[in-house]
Amino acid sequence: MLRYLCFFGVCVACAGFSPFDAGQGADNELALINDVESKKILFVAGRPSHGYGSHEHYAGCRLLAKGLQAAHPQINVDVIKHRWPEPDDLEGVDAIVMYSDGGNNHPVMQHLDQVNELADAGVGIVCIHYAVEVPKGPAGRHFVNWIGGYFETNWSVNPHWKAEFKAFPDHPIANGLQPFAIQDEWYYHMRFRENMDGVTPILTAIPPESTLSRPDGPHSGNPHVRAKAGQPQHVAWAVQRDDGGRGFGFTGGHFHWNWGNPNFRRVVLNAIVWSAGMEVPEGGVDVGEMELQSLKQNQDFDPPESFDFEKTIEKFGLKGSK
């Protein structure tokens, strides 16, 4: 059986646990199905980070977990909040989805050997936004193996820009996707495997010149990325590993409101399903509707008194009212 994990961007599920926050009580929104034949997905949501509406790891994991189980009721889904999974949480998991802060503060940094054992056993690994960044060295090499690439400081960059996705590869993760454009903090110029061995780009766009207007720095710019100005850059990708497992990296996810976009949501849900060794429906995972009220739930921070929901609805093309 394969397994799912979401570490501060990772997914894990165990029969008998609440579908959200193991050990924190049942949640009627996601009824855990104790079916030994079903897949197991564990979301581990990263700690509070950037403030209201950004890097909302827990709320994002909750939305993805709910959408995943709505589309595939046979899947066991769990969300671990603000902590690393216990051994029992990881038992029988089919895929790991990490949504968290990264770099030296990445929650996986103290557990590289543990996750590597899971990957060697064929467990799928999915990393979202900042969770694609780890330090160069052993951690970076693991990520190149697990998901095919990672954000390497002084090589990759993290600008905010509107990416236009006009075409998609012939790959199950692209099932059901339609051309779309969306503003986010799209990291690019990842450190991929040599010759993109086993790696399939899923979302590719050409960053505007403005993304290289900042001075050189660990995240802002460097001679290597400037030499690639005007060229297509991959911001989401999949890898088929030699061990039989699968991985996926997705650099978007800074703005929580972008989960309201059906294509944005579908590409990640498709990837989780694929990474767990399941068949992605021809039309992609059924993502349903997502309104502002759902996006407001479970965030780590309360909205500032001055927060303009009407402007947010307009800027991100959301459905519903404040």
Side-chain angles (χ1 to χ4, degrees):
M1 178 183 289
L2 295 178
R3 299 125 191 186
Y4 269 116
L5 280 166
C6 181
F7 305 130
F8 294 42
V10 183
C11 300
V12 177
C14 284
F17 280 80
S18 163
F20 293 121
D21 301 334
Q24 297 185 28
D27 189 311
N28 291 330
E29 290 182 290
L30 290 183
L32 194 63
I33 300 174
N34 295 313
D35 179 356
V36 296
E37 298 301 319
S38 70
K39 298 289 184 178
K40 298 178 68 172
I41 304 172
L42 178 67
F43 287 84
V44 181
R47 297 185 184 280
S49 179
H50 279 46
Y52 187 71
S54 298
H55 287 227
E56 288 286 359
H57 306 127
Y58 177 58
C61 285
R62 286 286 299 265
L63 289 174
L64 291 169
K66 183 176 180 181
L68 184 65
Q69 193 157 51
H72 297 280
Q74 78 279 13
I75 297 176
N76 290 336
V77 181
D78 200 4
V79 177
I80 303 297
K81 183 179 182 180
H82 302 168
R83 66 172 175 85
W84 186 258
E86 298 293 336
D88 286 349
D89 298 326
L90 299 172
E91 181 65 31
V93 71
D94 288 292
I96 300 171
V97 184
M98 301 188 240
Y99 193 10
S100 67
D101 282 349
N104 288 315
N105 293 322
H106 199 304
V108 81
M109 290 302 295
Q110 304 302 316
H111 306 278
L112 292 171
D113 290 342
Q114 182 184 41
V115 177
N116 196 53
E117 289 183 7
L118 292 170
D120 285 347
V123 172
I125 307 292
V126 174
C127 297
I128 300 172
H129 197 50
Y130 200 0
V132 303
E133 181 188 330
V134 289
K136 184 178 180 178
R141 290 192 291 273
H142 277 309
F143 269 53
V144 167
N145 177 41
W146 299 344
I147 66 171
Y150 75 106
F151 185 109
E152 181 184 295
T153 55
N154 297 304
W155 176 266
S156 308
V157 290
N158 66 349
H160 287 242
W161 54 293
K162 189 172 186 178
E164 297 185 25
F165 306 114
K166 301 177 180 179
F168 309 101
D170 182 13
H171 190 283
I173 294 176
N175 287 0
L177 295 182
Q178 299 296 320
F180 68 108
I182 197 161
Q183 178 83 22
D184 208 323
E185 185 183 27
W186 292 107
Y187 308 158
Y188 69 85
H189 200 241
M190 298 294 105
R191 177 65 77 180
F192 288 114
R193 289 182 175 186
E194 187 173 357
N195 299 319
M196 299 291 283
D197 183 32
V199 178
T200 301
I202 303 297
L203 296 182
T204 301
I206 299 177
E209 278 188 35
S210 60
T211 62
L212 296 175
S213 62
R214 298 177 295 172
D216 286 355
H219 297 82
S220 56
N222 58 76
H224 312 288
V225 70
R226 294 185 195 285
K228 303 291 182 61
Q231 297 184 20
Q233 295 285 345
H234 311 311
V235 300
W237 64 92
V239 68
Q240 179 71 58
R241 302 196 303 266
D242 292 340
D243 56 32
R246 296 167 172 178
F248 178 73
F250 181 79
T251 76
H254 175 87
F255 294 117
H256 180 65
W257 316 110
N258 278 336
W259 295 116
N261 183 291
N263 284 294
F264 193 88
R265 202 160 66 253
R266 176 172 283 126
V267 70
V268 175
L269 290 175
N270 283 355
I272 294 172
V273 167
W274 179 82
S275 296
M278 299 173 62
E279 182 176 350
V280 180
E282 183 175 347
V285 173
D286 183 0
V287 298
E289 294 290 334
M290 178 72 65
E291 296 193 352
L292 178 65
Q293 291 303 317
S294 294
L295 291 163
K296 290 169 67 175
Q297 295 175 9
N298 303 306
Q299 295 199 39
D300 291 320
F301 298 91
D302 294 327
E305 291 185 8
S306 60
F307 193 85
D308 191 334
F309 283 104
E310 294 295 347
K311 184 177 180 180
T312 299
I313 290 170
E314 180 180 0
K315 178 178 179 180
F316 293 93
L318 303 178
K319 297 180 181 296
S321 62
K322 65 178 182 177

